[in-house]
């Protein structure tokens, strides 16, 4: 994605971290009180997965995806399986997919983050609602990717 990955992170919650370890995920998790400092989609994410939360990254040069364990679990896909963005967007219900694609485009164009609740149909399970949060990854001011959090929403 970029030569110095730790220096390519974008703004989340109004500041520009120099690495994931400096970034607080709390604003993306809607106040979920759990210490996720230093987490990234490249980690296995076991602790996050226990709470139906996963981290994701998308490299815009080739639309490749990197997921932590929790995202695989949310979508009902075997952990570590190769995932292609074109295949994954089919898991989103039509209205949610349109809204997600519109916010994704806006985020890339305007270098802004986003959060929305989307309806998904995970592999071999019933429909579910998921909170999707994302922010652009910047390299010298250019958007080179997106990164964020996906959280399965459960009825209380």
């Amino acid at each position: 994605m970029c030569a110095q990955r730790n220096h390519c992170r974008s703004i989340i919650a109004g500041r520009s971290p120099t690495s994931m370890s400096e970034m607080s995920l709390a604003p993306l998790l809607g106040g979920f009180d759990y210490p996720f400092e230093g987490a990234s989609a490249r980690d296995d994410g076991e602790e996050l997965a226990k709470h139906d939360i996963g981290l994701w990254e998308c490299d815009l040069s080739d639309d490749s995806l990197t997921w932590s364990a929790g995202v695989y679990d949310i979508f009902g896909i075997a952990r570590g399986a190769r995932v292609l963005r074109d295949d994954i967007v089919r898991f989103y219900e039509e209205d949610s997919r349109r809204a997600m694609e519109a916010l994704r485009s806006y985020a890339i164009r305007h270098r802004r983050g986003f959060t929305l609740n989307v309806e998904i149909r995970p592999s071999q399970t019933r429909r579910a609602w998921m909170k999707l949060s994302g922010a652009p990854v910047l390299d010298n001011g250019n958007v080179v990717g997106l990164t964020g959090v996906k959280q399965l929403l459960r009825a209380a």
Side-chain angles (χ1 to χ4, degrees), residues 1-2 57-66 104 144-146:
M1 188 179 284
C2 62
E57 294 178 4
C58 179
D59 183 333
L60 295 180
S61 69
D62 60 4
D63 268 349
S64 62
L65 300 173
T66 304
R104 180 182 190 270
V144 296
L146 294 168

Side-chain angles (χ1 to χ4, degrees), residues 29-65:
L29 296 172
F32 189 81
D33 188 23
Y34 192 84
F36 298 125
E37 306 311 323
S40 95
R42 301 204 180 274
D43 297 337
D44 68 4
E46 282 299 321
E47 280 302 310
L48 291 170
K50 290 177 186 175
H51 301 281
D52 297 322
I53 298 170
L55 305 178
W56 61 273
E57 294 178 4
C58 179
D59 183 333
L60 295 180
S61 69
D62 60 4
D63 268 349
S64 62
L65 300 173

Side-chain angles (χ1 to χ4, degrees), residues 5-148:
R5 184 172 196 84
N6 287 342
H7 297 287
C8 299
R9 298 294 172 189
S10 72
I11 57 168
I12 294 181
R15 65 186 196 95
S16 184
T18 58
S19 70
M20 278 301 264
S21 62
E22 288 185 20
M23 182 174 68
S24 171
L25 297 177
L28 293 177
L29 296 172
F32 189 81
D33 188 23
Y34 192 84
F36 298 125
E37 306 311 323
S40 95
R42 301 204 180 274
D43 297 337
D44 68 4
E46 282 299 321
E47 280 302 310
L48 291 170
K50 290 177 186 175
H51 301 281
D52 297 322
I53 298 170
L55 305 178
W56 61 273
E57 294 178 4
C58 179
D59 183 333
L60 295 180
S61 69
D62 60 4
D63 268 349
S64 62
L65 300 173
T66 304
W67 287 356
S68 70
V71 178
Y72 285 102
D73 295 352
I74 289 169
F75 283 98
I77 297 173
R79 290 181 182 183
R82 184 168 183 251
V83 289
L84 302 173
R85 186 173 186 282
D86 286 342
D87 294 334
I88 297 306
V89 296
R90 294 184 186 124
F91 283 81
Y92 290 74
E93 292 297 325
E94 186 63 27
D95 289 344
S96 290
R97 185 187 59 74
R98 278 196 303 270
M100 182 263 305
E101 293 288 11
L103 283 175
R104 180 182 190 270
S105 294
Y106 187 89
I108 294 167
R109 187 172 48 256
H110 298 285
R111 295 184 296 193
R112 304 290 296 183
F114 63 90
T115 299
L116 78 155
N117 292 344
V118 294
E119 189 175 13
I120 58 172
R121 184 180 294 238
S123 181
Q124 302 176 352
T125 63
R126 289 183 271 167
R127 291 179 178 162
W129 285 92
M130 175 183 74
K131 179 177 289 208
L132 169 61
S133 298
V137 176
L138 303 178
D139 185 10
N140 295 320
N142 298 312
V143 179
V144 296
L146 294 168
T147 189

